[in-house]
Amino acid sequence: YEEDLCIFCDKCENVCPPGAILFEIVDYEKNKREYNYNPYLCIYCGACVDVCPKADEGCLVQDNTRTIPLSKEVPKDKKLGYLVNRVNNPKELEKEWNELEKRAKNSRDEYAVYKKAQREAARKAKMAKKAEGKK
């Protein structure tokens, strides 16, 4: 995964059969999302790469090398996303992933409320401006 190439369309997340890819919205104003990948859930089906509109540019690729089994440490690699690089204790990875799943869903729900409020505020401002022009 190359974050600089990602357009955050969420297609990879939506198509992933085991749910090994999650985007968490961390900044509503900028719609900034953090990519998270759990190599221990991945079934290496390649569906994410097939659906990625930027895969040809190297945004998302499937590596033939499987992630090493969890032992005393969680493998660190920027391309694995944010969560894996924040967790140090392998025994905590599943718990942290489960919490991320909840946060990612909540972030989407909260973002939808935020966008709805933005649209409503813009509509009201447009109506007020229109009413001002009629005076």
Side-chain angles (χ1 to χ4, degrees):
Y1 172 75
E2 290 292 338
E3 186 171 24
D4 294 341
L5 298 174
C6 186
I7 59 172
F8 301 97
C9 64
D10 300 340
K11 288 180 179 182
C12 59
E13 178 188 62
N14 294 332
V15 75
C16 183
I21 298 172
L22 288 173
F23 285 96
E24 180 180 13
I25 304 170
V26 294
D27 184 337
Y28 298 145
E29 289 181 15
K30 296 178 182 173
N31 191 17
K32 179 170 177 10
R33 298 163 186 252
E34 286 185 351
Y35 170 86
N36 296 281
Y37 166 70
N38 188 334
Y40 300 101
L41 288 178
C42 183
I43 60 173
Y44 297 88
C45 65
C48 56
V49 176
D50 291 342
V51 76
C52 179
K54 305 277 272 179
D56 290 344
E57 297 171 41
C59 178
L60 193 60
V61 297
Q62 184 163 348
D63 193 339
N64 291 330
T65 307
R66 304 288 173 128
T67 304
I68 59 168
L70 280 176
S71 56
K72 295 180 181 181
E73 63 184 60
V74 179
K76 305 296 180 201
D77 185 339
K78 177 182 146 195
K79 294 178 182 201
L80 293 177
Y82 288 86
L83 181 78
V84 172
N85 285 293
R86 289 182 184 136
V87 175
N88 292 316
N89 184 345
K91 293 178 182 177
E92 296 293 313
L93 184 60
E94 184 177 1
K95 177 181 160 249
E96 293 292 330
W97 186 263
N98 290 338
E99 289 176 12
L100 170 65
E101 286 177 325
K102 292 174 192 165
R103 284 196 324 270
K105 182 191 179 317
N106 287 342
S107 74
R108 288 176 191 266
D109 293 345
E110 291 170 7
Y111 182 69
V113 169
Y114 170 80
K115 290 302 283 181
K116 184 177 180 179
Q118 269 192 327
R119 286 190 301 273
E120 183 63 20
R123 186 186 67 78
K124 285 181 179 179
K126 186 177 179 180
M127 287 175 60
K129 189 175 182 181
K130 207 180 228 185
E132 183 87 12
K134 289 183 179 180
K135 288 183 180 180

